[in-house]
């Protein structure tokens, strides 16, 4: 109703877009990627976010929202089996987020979300045997997360979790590339991160070892 009554207030449209995106993500988490309502909400969220960025290109929160929603669309396409479009949309989202990080390097949230996108994109690429691209995405994610962990040690918990996950995935990719020494080094880094997290009482290591071990 607020959007209808006050169409010239962009923040109301932003809030509506975020609400649609949250509803759609809830559907994705329940593996309802083919549910018409999930798809509709994602399309509506993406449409609103895209228009906001076009109208207000210098508002970083709108751009960040567009990147995040677009990446969700990529995940939905991937789970629906549309590999080519999923890869294209994920890449667009990652590039938008990378631009935000370059423009606002001190905003921790933007850096962390870029690293998370790269990790998720790497999982998609690895699943489709694009190992070089997956490796590059993971190495970029690890570099960013290590810098955050070093400069913001108080944020080690969430950053450490994603850093451990990225190392764990990188070890798998390197093993599949027959880079056994590098794979072992990445695996050891992952173990160190999990050990640090456990010592702080935060979570545990995901189940399963590397492929080929």
């Amino acid at each position: 109703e607020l959007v209808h009554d006050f169409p010239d207030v962009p923040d109301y449209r932003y809030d509506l877009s975020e609400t649609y995106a949250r509803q759609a993500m809830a559907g994705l988490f329940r593996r309802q990627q083919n549910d018409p309502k999930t798809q509709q909400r994602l399309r509506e969220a993406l449409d609103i976010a895209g228009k906001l960025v076009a109208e207000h290109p210098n508002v970083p929160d709108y751009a960040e929202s567009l990147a995040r929603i677009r990446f969700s669309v990529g995940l939905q396409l991937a789970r629906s089996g549309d590999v080519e479009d999923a890869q294209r949309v994920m890449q667009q989202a990652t590039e938008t987020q990378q631009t935000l990080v370059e423009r606002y390097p001190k905003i921790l949230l933007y850096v962390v979300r870029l690293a998370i996108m790269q990790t998720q994109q790497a999982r998609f690429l690895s699943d489709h045997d694009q190992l070089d691209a997956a490796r590059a995405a993971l190495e970029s994610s690890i570099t960013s997360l290590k810098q955050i962990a070093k400069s913001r040690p108080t944020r080690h918990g969430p950053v450490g979790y994603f850093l451990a996950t990225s190392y764990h995935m990188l070890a798998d990719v390197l093993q599949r590339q027959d880079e056994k020494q590098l794979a072992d080094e990445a695996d050891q880094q992952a173990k160190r991160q999990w050990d640090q997290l456990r010592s702080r009482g935060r979570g545990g290591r995901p189940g399963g070892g590397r492929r080929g071990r």
Side-chain angles (χ1 to χ4, degrees):
E1 292 183 5
L2 284 173
V3 172
H4 180 269
D5 293 339
F6 303 97
D8 296 327
V9 180
D11 280 352
Y12 291 161
R13 287 186 287 152
Y14 169 79
D15 290 341
L16 180 61
S17 176
E18 288 289 291
T19 298
Y20 286 162
R22 284 193 295 271
Q23 291 173 346
M25 285 305 298
L28 288 178
F29 282 130
R30 292 192 296 267
R31 299 288 177 178
Q32 295 174 342
Q33 60 270 9
N34 294 320
D35 177 63
K37 186 174 181 179
T38 296
Q39 295 178 350
Q40 179 185 352
R41 285 298 187 231
L42 268 179
R43 286 194 299 269
E44 291 172 333
L46 184 63
D47 180 63
I48 295 170
K51 289 177 179 177
L52 282 172
V53 171
E55 296 167 11
H56 307 277
N58 295 317
V59 178
D61 283 352
Y62 295 168
E64 191 275 332
S65 179
L66 175 61
R68 182 162 31 84
I69 293 169
R70 185 173 280 157
F71 199 87
S72 297
V73 172
L75 291 176
Q76 183 266 327
L77 290 168
R79 292 176 181 176
S80 299
D82 193 342
V83 175
E84 185 175 341
D85 281 345
Q87 184 170 348
R88 175 181 56 80
V89 173
M90 284 185 188
Q91 186 61 34
Q92 289 176 343
T94 303
E95 288 173 357
T96 299
Q97 193 70 24
Q98 179 68 55
T99 299
L100 273 175
V101 169
E102 292 169 357
R103 291 178 63 186
Y104 306 98
K106 295 184 179 180
I107 299 182
L108 179 64
L109 177 64
Y110 295 169
V111 181
V112 172
R113 282 193 169 151
L114 173 61
I116 294 171
M117 283 183 184
Q118 289 171 326
T119 301
Q120 291 179 307
Q121 185 179 26
R123 189 183 302 278
F124 167 81
L125 293 167
S126 177
D127 286 345
H128 293 86
D129 295 322
Q130 299 185 45
L131 299 182
D132 288 340
R135 178 177 175 176
L138 287 167
E139 289 174 341
S140 179
S141 173
I142 288 168
T143 297
S144 297
L145 291 169
K146 284 174 65 177
Q147 291 174 347
I148 296 170
K150 183 177 180 180
S151 62
R152 306 280 187 91
T154 57
R155 299 301 298 271
H156 184 272
V159 171
Y161 173 82
F162 290 114
L163 186 55
T165 301
S166 295
Y167 271 123
H168 185 76
M169 291 173 59
L170 179 61
D172 177 73
V173 169
L174 290 167
Q175 182 75 11
R176 292 167 63 191
Q177 290 184 316
D178 204 28
E179 296 274 9
K180 298 187 184 301
Q181 182 175 347
L182 292 176
D184 286 340
E185 291 173 2
D187 198 37
Q188 288 301 314
Q189 290 285 356
K191 289 176 181 177
R192 290 191 190 98
Q193 291 298 322
W194 292 125
D195 287 343
Q196 289 181 36
L197 289 169
R198 278 194 293 269
S199 70
R200 292 174 168 84
R202 296 175 180 272
R205 188 177 181 180
R210 298 207 313 265
R211 295 185 192 179
R213 293 302 297 267

